[in-house]
Amino acid sequence: MPSRVQALKLFEPAIVRRAIAESFKKLDPRHMARNPVMFVTEVVSVLTTCLWVQALRGHGEAPAGFIFAVSIWLWFTVLFANFAEAMAEGRGKAQADALRRSRQELVAKFLSEPRHGAGWAPVPSKMLHSGDVVLVEAGDIIPGDGEVVEGVASVDESVITGESAPVIRESGGDRSAVTGGTRVLSDWLVVRISAEPGETFLDRMIGMVEGAKRQRTPNEIALSILLAALTIVFLLAVATLLPFSLYSVAAAGQGQPVTVTVLAALLVCLIPTTIGGLLSAIGIAGMDRMVQANVIATSGRAVEAAGDVDVLLLDKTGTITLGNRQATAFIPARGVAEKELADAAQLASLADETPEGRSIVVLAKGKYSLRGREVHGLGATFVPFSAQTRMSGVDLDGRAIRKGAADAVAEFVRERGGSIGDDVQEAVDRLAKSGATPLVVADGPRVLGVIQLKDIVKGGIRERFAELRKMGIKTVMITGDNPLTAAAIAAEAGVDDFLAEATPEAKLRLIRELQTGGRLVAMTGDGTNDAPALAQADVAVAMNSGTQAAKEAGNMVDLDSNPTKLLEVVEIGKQLLMTRGSLTTFSIANDVAKYFAIIPAMFVATYPQLGALNVMRLATPASAVMSAVIFNALIIVALIPLALRGVEYRPVGAAALLRRNLLVYGLGGLVAPFVGIKAIDLLLSALHLV
Amino acid sequence: MTALAALQLLAFLAVILALAKPLGVYMARVYESRPGGLDCVLGPVERFLYRISGVNAGDEMDWKRYATAMLVFNLAGWLALYALMRLQGTLPANPQHLPAVNPLLDFNTAISFVTNTNWQNYSGERTMSYLTQMLGLAVQNFLSAASGMAVLVALIRGFARRSATTVGNFWVDTVRGTLYILLPLSLVFALALVSQGVVQTFSAYKKVALLEPVTVTEPRLDAAGAPVKDAKGNPVTEKVTVIEQTLALGPAASQIAIKQLGTNGGGFFNVNSAHPFENPTPLSDFLELVAILLLPAALCLTLGEMVRDRRQGWAILAAMVAIFVVFAVFDIASEQAGNPLLTRLGVDQRPSATQGGGNMEGKEVRFGPVASALWATATTAASNGSVNAMHDSFTPLGGLVPMALMQIGEVVFGGVGSGLYGMLAFVIVAVFIAGLMVGRTPEYLGKKIGSFEMKMASLVILVPPVVVLLGTALAVATAAGRAATANPGAHGFSEILYAFSSAANNNGSAFAGLSGNTPFYNFTLGLAMFFGRFWTKVPILAIAGSLAAKKMTPAGAGTLATHTPLFVVLLVGTVLLVAALTFLPALALGPIVEHLQMLAMAR
């Protein structure tokens, strides 16, 4: 079975071949009309082609060879733009094909009653509707997205996530969602289908990477309006040149009125074909980069919004800190050896399967080589944690070893005639203040000391947050901890703010507050109780390992289930906008040089003095026009890699970014065509083509 | 450019900048209905006006109501002015017994004054009665300026308010703008002008015998008033001997004050501020020059006050000053350099203690080339359009400057109100591009710029150049359009291009060589003025409404600061690039080729 979306080479030969064919299919005016700039270019190309045919019949306004050359390059301009779009789409299509192969026609085991053991009948998977219940057994492919209602099974989800290690899916809790197309490896599941045919996760994913239902984003629409306005201005500036030229020829009494062919060439050079031709490619490539990052966005709008995010809400656990709290130190009570404390702590935790309990065993083993012992082998009785006692431990050889919250253990020893010493109480307070969790260990009435449980902040996360701050993005840590603990971790991790003792309602309230203040909020989440907040957030990344409800509520799904991914998502969003902005600037700045090439060429016969404007010293009027047109077409091809890869983003703050991009794309856009047009002109004259 | 010229420019800018700040703050108070110092005197007048006109001052309007009120008000103003000019022959205060203005000229003139353009296809002293000047033209000078400022203030409120549905009350804004800003300033300024010798009287024109008769050569005019041309396209001239002069008089000072302050520019007399009764001394010249830019400059700072971030106002003012200085220096240098063809004939055009030097054709001796070029730059940077020298007689590049400044869209200072709202449309486009370049949805003053704002800002930027280009193309393509030019060749083209640039951008100055009082130009220029004014005002109000409804995004490190030199550079670049890309071909066929031809002939 094909594995997940592969990273593709920029110019994969298969994609290039398909894109070339697509470029011609896209000449269909109905398709072109969606892009006003390129539509105008196509209309003008048709016009010059007609003029060429007319010239062949001997009624040409200019030599047929010249008109032909201009027409060909105008057509190339259109084709190159189509090629850019087809390339971007092609990459998505290749990925979609890989996904589609995994969506085979399946026969589902349709259960007559929603329980294991009920009779089943074979039903084609595409006939399954939301609410139907099916049985999936070892070796079966899950026929559709759904919720496990009964059973536990290991599932191979590599088709979606690329992760080969199987995952556990079970009824209830946060691991109950299954995705159609994944395979059950062992045991069985009873699954209630939750997606209508054609609307499964896989379908959405395919649709997304193909860009089939790609809707234009608000920024893209705004940019298109600006480009259309510029096109209208240039259309008029060029069209009015005909009467101006007629007047000038009459006034000067020499020269020829400018030809429609040259006006057509000037128009195509001036209208922003560079950005117009690459605009949709940039958008598709942005989605593509998301897919490469293993994030599936439900809309381009979400990708774009990611670039705008002002506040990131990050769950402490898993994002900022490593999994769970870990034991980091033993602090013995006065008169107790640290090793004795460690031994008792390990004994009390042997049967404790919580991550905290395991970390205590590991710490004791690491520090004092105390080997883990088998609880049953020692004849001990495990006393599990309960909400009433708020302690856990073992009863062993008449000893009652307990570990737990300070007040609970204090109560426990007081019942047995002991008490917590001042030094222990002080240690407890100190740890609590520093953000760690103190666990007090007691053996009967005797208090042995304190275990320090601490959140381990992920390596490098502080730097990441500092970068975000430079981008102007505020980070808020969400945690269920008390404010004291939260504040300490927040300080250690370098987040800007935190929300302690967070409930789903508090989270939702915080998002609403931030949004009312005009901020755009992004968050990640996986549990069903995150769903309301996910639905409210502007950018909501659901973990693929999360529940169906969370995935439905979010506008992106992270297949790697990596909460830190949000940072990458933001960068991709910004890159998308920057690529558009930079290429627009480049495209418009290019026009200055084209004027200096074409205006003297148009009017030098009428007003020979205008030859002074031919600053590039282009060989002849014909070669000047041709060079400008050829440059204008080739620059589209030259910029395809940039459009697909995106302009590099650096977290340096808005002003520095703007200065850099203005220099590179503004000033560069001003200068580049002078060099390029001159080079093409030299080449054309050297080859005696004009 | 001489040191004295540089000093003149610096002194002018220093006075403007010094006055702009207090005035800008004062205007913010006026439009925010806060006390500004004149309330005890004018407050009762204001309340009386609301009472008799039934205006509820607390009644806030959404942008559509505001736009409707503005359009209705201007339509009423147009009708009243049209009627007044048609009926002036039967009305009092007409000592010269001037007849009704002909309908097409009336159509053109009424639009011209309602749109704050003040393009004049007539000669004031030979066409308009005192009543028409005072009750019609001067009144529209006030009201067109006040309505321009009102639209600007509505837009500023769009930026300043958050999640609001309304942008203010048009009637209140117009009344307060006129009563608290334009009237007091005009009163003071008119008195200052009278002190310099500007006439203010109701007496009839005076006839004076000349000390010695003069014989002059005049172009022969046909029945329609257009110059008659020979086969080569050169105007036919005839010799006339004059023994007597008529001194035109009238209530000029009161009208000139508002014509300068309100960026109207319509002269009381035909030759505008070149006329000795309209602009008699170098001091009056300097004062009138200051008055041209004063309100547009101060309004930038009003913006800063009203959005509670003064730096934003200074940044926009800085962008305007930057463009202005470049153009002014270029223009002064071009005029001071004089005409190389005359240099070749041995004419001394160098500035010295005894002469201003440079190109003196079409200039008043009391002003010289520097004050004339500075005025030409200021009057076209602002959409004023008054002149103290004939732009038609400037050197080709000297004439390119005023033309280009109008083609930029009258956003470098521009008209009162209209200049800044036009500039804000460019700001929207500039922040849009800049926002994309830093990877954020663009925002200005905390308001996110969406596709609706882009659409409207595009319209604002698009309409004037479209009208200029189409109008010019129509004129050069028709015999009626070509017939009105005084010169053949590239200069004739410049005259036509200048006329449409002036009308569509509501400037009103002219390359005097064009005889505009023909049916063709009265009609086409009238339409150009109408579209240029109202097809930008309504989209601006739409932007105001849309922005007011938005939430305010607080600024952060990722927000692009719009008060920095970098942004000023970007804004200047955007403004100049759009104009250059639109008009470079047309300018190449007009002033640029004229200049190159002149150089070629001088070689």
Side-chain angles (χ1 to χ4, degrees):
Chain A
M1 182 165 291
S3 141
R4 65 151 162 180
V5 178
Q6 305 266 329
L8 290 162
K9 269 196 293 177
L10 201 55
F11 286 102
E12 185 84 19
I15 296 177
V16 173
R17 271 195 299 279
R18 190 150 70 164
I20 291 174
E22 280 289 309
S23 324
F24 285 93
K25 276 189 212 151
K26 283 174 186 285
L27 289 177
D28 183 343
R30 280 166 300 180
H31 173 83
M32 298 298 294
R34 285 166 52 189
N35 182 339
V37 179
M38 295 322 292
F39 183 67
V40 168
T41 313
E42 186 176 34
V43 170
V44 168
S45 308
V46 171
L47 177 70
T48 51
T49 310
C50 293
L51 288 171
W52 173 59
V53 173
Q54 191 194 28
L56 283 183
R57 290 161 150 215
H59 312 291
E61 51 164 20
F66 175 71
I67 302 180
F68 176 74
V70 169
S71 311
I72 281 291
W73 280 98
L74 294 187
W75 280 113
F76 274 145
T77 313
V78 182
L79 287 172
F80 289 162
N82 287 348
F83 177 71
E85 189 181 276
M87 277 294 291
E89 283 172 353
R91 291 161 64 78
K93 281 214 178 76
Q95 286 157 343
D97 286 347
L99 289 169
R100 200 174 277 126
R101 259 174 265 140
S102 67
R103 193 184 56 180
Q104 300 152 353
E105 267 317 303
L106 300 168
V107 177
K109 296 169 178 170
F110 184 84
L111 287 170
S112 52
E113 281 175 62
R115 62 179 173 83
H116 187 237
W120 59 265
V123 170
S125 64
K126 61 178 177 186
M127 305 291 282
L128 289 175
H129 289 275
S130 180
D132 290 350
V133 179
V134 295
L135 173 69
V136 197
E137 290 173 306
D140 290 351
I141 289 176
I142 297 173
D145 295 357
E147 198 85 18
V148 177
V149 290
E150 203 181 337
V152 185
S154 61
V155 179
D156 171 12
E157 292 196 339
S158 62
V159 65
I160 303 288
T161 64
E163 193 63 54
S164 53
V167 292
I168 301 295
R169 291 285 173 247
E170 60 190 348
S171 60
D174 284 353
R175 293 190 291 181
S176 62
V178 289
T179 310
T182 57
R183 183 188 294 266
V184 172
L185 295 176
S186 68
D187 307 290
W188 52 265
L189 293 172
V190 174
V191 175
R192 175 174 286 121
I193 299 295
S194 60
E196 291 293 325
E199 289 170 14
T200 65
F201 185 64
L202 207 59
D203 289 318
R204 267 168 36 203
M205 197 161 154
I206 292 170
M208 225 59 244
V209 293
E210 271 190 328
K213 284 188 214 145
R214 206 176 74 86
Q215 283 184 333
R216 295 200 300 169
T217 61
N219 266 321
E220 209 175 340
I221 293 170
L223 182 55
S224 304
I225 289 167
L226 180 66
L227 296 181
L230 283 171
T231 306
I232 294 172
V233 166
F234 288 132
L235 195 60
L236 276 161
V238 170
T240 51
L241 269 180
L242 188 59
F244 293 176
S245 160
L246 288 168
Y247 174 92
S248 301
V249 169
Q254 59 183 342
Q256 291 294 319
V258 60
T259 61
V260 176
T261 309
V262 171
L263 284 176
L266 177 64
L267 176 64
V268 171
C269 284
L270 291 180
I271 59 176
T273 47
T274 313
I275 179 65
L278 294 173
L279 192 56
S280 54
I282 294 169
I284 299 167
M287 298 293 287
D288 184 49
R289 280 199 296 282
M290 280 287 188
V291 175
Q292 305 283 349
N294 252 356
V295 177
I296 303 299
T298 53
S299 70
R301 195 182 284 249
V303 181
E304 209 176 77
D308 271 343
V309 159
D310 302 285
V311 182
L312 291 189
L313 299 189
L314 298 165
D315 271 325
K316 183 198 76 177
T317 311
T319 311
I320 297 172
T321 61
L322 288 170
N324 290 289
R325 277 168 294 197
Q326 295 183 357
T328 50
F330 296 113
I331 302 158
R334 203 178 297 127
V336 178
E338 195 177 336
K339 189 170 177 183
E340 189 190 350
L341 169 64
D343 184 58
Q346 194 187 42
L347 277 174
S349 309
L350 281 177
D352 184 354
E353 282 301 319
T354 63
E356 287 93 345
R358 260 179 268 152
S359 79
I360 295 171
V361 174
V362 170
L363 182 69
K365 196 200 284 179
K367 272 190 133 167
Y368 301 104
S369 321
L370 291 169
R371 299 188 49 108
R373 290 147 283 189
E374 187 58 46
V375 181
H376 301 292
L378 294 168
T381 327
F382 179 57
V383 182
F385 178 87
S386 80
Q388 284 81 41
T389 62
R390 292 186 293 141
M391 292 185 298
S392 66
V394 285
D395 289 332
L396 167 81
D397 304 335
R399 291 165 73 190
I401 305 174
R402 294 289 182 275
K403 67 173 202 292
D407 49 345
V409 177
E411 181 68 28
F412 174 80
V413 294
R414 201 174 307 126
E415 278 169 12
R416 284 162 179 75
S419 69
I420 285 194
D422 290 350
D423 60 324
V424 173
Q425 189 59 50
E426 195 189 306
V428 166
D429 292 345
R430 183 163 44 80
L431 290 185
K433 235 176 252 168
S434 74
T437 309
L439 282 186
V440 177
V441 181
D443 185 352
R446 204 158 73 98
V447 176
L448 297 176
V450 188
I451 309 170
Q452 179 183 12
L453 284 182
K454 229 183 126 176
D455 275 308
I456 307 297
V457 172
K458 280 185 175 176
I461 200 90
R462 215 191 150 81
E463 290 70 31
R464 214 58 200 273
F465 290 152
E467 269 182 20
L468 284 173
R469 201 166 303 119
K470 270 194 218 146
M471 290 185 206
I473 298 172
K474 208 174 117 178
T475 43
V476 178
M477 181 180 85
I478 307 288
T479 171
D481 293 340
N482 64 58
L484 217 57
T485 313
I489 298 167
E492 191 180 342
V495 294
D496 297 297
D497 203 353
F498 63 86
L499 177 67
E501 288 165 353
T503 57
E505 297 78 51
K507 246 191 228 186
L508 190 61
R509 205 178 321 119
L510 176 67
I511 296 178
R512 289 211 173 119
E513 253 168 47
L514 288 166
Q515 286 175 333
T516 316
R519 295 175 193 278
L520 246 69
V521 182
M523 70 170 288
T524 57
D526 53 2
T528 300
N529 60 10
D530 285 333
L534 282 169
Q536 179 71 34
D538 300 287
V539 175
V541 185
M543 302 294 107
N544 190 43
S545 59
T547 61
Q548 198 63 36
K551 285 199 240 176
E552 293 288 332
N555 45 20
M556 286 184 207
V557 177
D558 178 19
L559 302 177
D560 297 339
S561 304
N562 168 12
T564 336
K565 192 66 80 54
L566 198 49
L567 308 184
E568 243 169 276
V569 168
V570 169
E571 278 182 20
I572 293 174
K574 286 201 177 290
Q575 239 189 347
L576 179 65
L577 295 183
M578 280 170 54
T579 311
R580 277 195 209 127
S582 301
L583 289 183
T584 304
T585 310
F586 186 84
S587 190
I588 298 168
N590 268 205
D591 284 354
V592 176
K594 293 168 188 166
Y595 264 142
F596 278 99
I598 296 185
I599 288 179
M602 278 177 156
F603 298 116
V604 77
T606 310
Y607 292 126
Q609 298 85 0
L610 278 178
L613 293 184
N614 182 7
V615 290
M616 285 174 274
R617 300 277 140 229
L618 304 175
T620 63
S623 84
V625 172
M626 280 315 299
S627 305
V629 172
I630 293 174
F631 176 84
N632 188 55
L634 290 182
I635 197 73
I636 297 179
V637 182
L639 290 174
I640 289 178
L642 183 70
L644 296 188
R645 272 201 214 104
V647 168
E648 191 196 350
Y649 178 77
R650 290 179 199 170
V652 288
L657 259 185
L658 178 63
R659 195 172 309 120
R660 181 174 175 278
N661 286 337
L662 265 185
L663 268 181
V664 175
Y665 299 98
L667 204 60
L670 217 55
V671 175
F674 279 101
V675 179
I677 291 173
K678 178 70 187 170
I680 295 171
D681 177 70
L682 285 176
L683 195 68
L684 288 180
S685 349
L687 298 175
H688 301 290
L689 285 176
V690 283
Chain B
M1 192 169 142
T2 58
L4 203 61
L7 202 66
Q8 208 167 329
L9 176 60
L10 284 178
F12 171 56
L13 288 175
V15 171
I16 290 286
L17 293 179
L19 292 177
K21 187 168 179 197
L23 185 57
V25 173
Y26 171 76
M27 286 194 286
R29 289 178 156 268
V30 169
Y31 284 114
E32 286 176 339
S33 296
R34 290 186 287 145
L38 294 175
D39 302 73
C40 52
V41 187
L42 296 174
V45 182
E46 185 191 356
R47 286 187 290 278
F48 172 73
L49 285 173
Y50 295 152
R51 205 164 48 244
I52 58 162
S53 54
V55 169
N56 173 7
D59 179 24
E60 284 272 329
M61 300 175 170
D62 63 17
W63 78 265
K64 286 178 185 153
R65 261 187 78 199
Y66 200 98
T68 311
M70 183 271 295
L71 290 172
V72 166
F73 181 67
N74 280 298
L75 178 68
W78 181 80
L79 286 173
L81 186 52
Y82 185 87
L84 186 61
M85 283 189 271
R86 291 294 292 149
L87 299 174
Q88 71 173 7
T90 58
L91 295 172
N94 186 6
Q96 298 308 121
H97 305 291
L98 293 165
V101 180
N102 94 56
L104 259 179
L105 177 61
D106 189 351
F107 163 85
N108 180 288
T109 307
I111 291 183
S112 175
F113 276 74
V114 168
T115 57
N116 198 262
T117 312
N118 298 27
W119 172 271
Q120 293 168 297
N121 271 344
Y122 61 91
S123 147
E125 58 269 43
R126 286 196 288 192
T127 317
M128 301 298 171
S129 74
Y130 291 170
L131 187 75
T132 305
Q133 296 267 28
M134 293 185 75
L135 197 64
L137 304 182
V139 165
Q140 278 309 318
N141 280 354
F142 277 99
L143 297 183
S144 64
S147 102
M149 291 199 288
V151 170
L152 169 69
V153 167
L155 178 61
I156 296 177
R157 290 196 188 108
F159 282 110
R161 291 181 177 179
R162 48 189 81 181
S163 311
T165 52
T166 59
V167 293
N169 181 314
F170 175 77
W171 309 116
V172 173
D173 289 338
T174 308
V175 167
R176 288 186 70 87
T178 311
L179 204 55
Y180 289 88
I181 300 169
L182 298 174
L183 266 177
L185 280 176
S186 301
L187 191 66
V188 174
F189 188 43
L191 290 175
L193 289 176
V194 169
S195 80
Q196 292 300 305
V198 177
V199 295
Q200 178 76 8
T201 171
F202 285 114
S203 70
Y205 299 170
K206 293 248 182 314
K207 272 201 160 53
V208 195
L210 289 180
L211 294 178
E212 63 181 288
V214 268
T215 306
V216 294
T217 313
E218 273 191 347
R220 188 187 297 161
L221 301 180
D222 63 15
V228 177
K229 289 179 191 172
D230 63 14
K232 285 184 188 163
N234 292 316
V236 179
T237 55
E238 53 193 358
K239 284 197 185 341
V240 184
T241 305
V242 187
I243 49 160
E244 187 184 55
Q245 182 181 15
T246 307
L247 295 181
L249 299 170
S254 56
Q255 192 171 331
I256 291 156
I258 184 62
K259 132 193 159 187
Q260 298 300 82
L261 284 166
T263 62
N264 298 285
F268 192 91
F269 303 113
N270 186 34
V271 293
N272 213 305
S273 286
H275 196 289
F277 287 170
E278 206 164 322
N279 185 10
T281 65
L283 180 61
S284 72
D285 187 72
F286 187 79
L287 290 177
E288 288 187 24
L289 194 58
V290 168
I292 290 176
L293 293 194
L294 184 59
L295 279 172
L299 281 167
C300 295
L301 305 182
T302 305
L303 164 78
E305 284 293 313
M306 289 180 75
V307 301
R308 304 284 176 263
D309 185 354
R310 293 186 177 173
R311 298 170 307 178
Q312 306 292 347
W314 284 108
I316 292 187
L317 185 55
M320 291 180 174
V321 169
I323 300 179
F324 177 79
V325 168
V326 171
F327 277 88
V329 167
F330 185 77
D331 206 37
I332 294 171
S334 301
E335 288 310 296
Q336 279 204 317
N339 185 341
L341 297 179
L342 292 179
T343 310
R344 212 174 54 159
L345 295 174
V347 178
D348 181 10
Q349 296 181 86
R350 281 168 302 178
S352 66
T354 52
Q355 64 167 19
N359 171 30
M360 277 302 289
E361 186 194 311
K363 295 192 175 63
E364 292 295 298
V365 179
R366 66 186 184 284
F367 303 136
V370 177
S372 301
L374 190 54
W375 184 297
T377 314
T379 196
T380 48
S383 80
N384 186 293
S386 62
V387 292
N388 73 350
M390 296 301 115
H391 295 179
D392 196 32
S393 299
F394 276 31
T395 59
L397 292 185
L400 179 143
V401 166
M403 211 186 300
L405 275 168
M406 294 187 295
Q407 288 162 346
I408 282 173
E410 287 300 357
V411 297
V412 183
F413 296 106
V416 283
S418 65
L420 184 53
Y421 67 61
M423 190 57 137
L424 287 172
F426 274 102
V427 167
I428 288 177
V429 171
V431 292
F432 181 75
I433 304 267
L436 288 186
M437 274 201 284
V438 300
R440 250 180 99 90
T441 292
E443 57 196 51
Y444 181 63
L445 303 178
K447 294 296 178 89
K448 289 215 184 292
I449 306 299
S451 50
F452 183 75
E453 288 79 26
M454 275 315 283
K455 208 180 286 177
M456 294 300 135
S458 298
L459 259 183
V460 174
I461 293 175
L462 197 67
V463 166
V466 165
V467 175
V468 174
L469 287 171
L470 285 180
T472 310
L474 184 68
V476 299
T478 51
R482 288 191 300 263
T485 59
N487 303 71
H491 195 73
F493 181 77
S494 296
E495 286 169 355
I496 296 173
L497 181 62
Y498 194 105
F500 281 96
S501 300
S502 175
N505 290 292
N506 301 129
N507 180 281
S509 70
F511 255 17
L514 188 81
S515 310
N517 190 13
T518 66
F520 176 84
Y521 282 103
N522 274 331
F523 186 67
T524 52
L525 292 176
L527 287 184
M529 291 185 278
F530 170 78
F531 287 127
R533 179 76 165 179
F534 295 107
W535 279 30
T536 52
K537 263 186 163 185
V538 174
I540 284 289
L541 286 173
I543 294 177
S546 156
L547 288 176
K550 293 192 179 196
K551 286 187 279 192
M552 188 83 77
T553 312
T559 316
L560 182 78
T562 50
H563 62 267
T564 57
L566 181 67
F567 185 76
V568 172
V569 169
L570 180 75
L571 180 59
V572 168
T574 309
V575 168
L576 293 184
L577 195 63
V578 169
L581 293 180
T582 315
F583 288 107
L584 206 59
L587 290 174
L589 293 177
I592 293 177
V593 72
E594 233 186 295
H595 174 72
L596 293 171
Q597 283 174 331
M598 181 179 79
L599 290 187
M601 280 164 75
R603 219 178 286 133

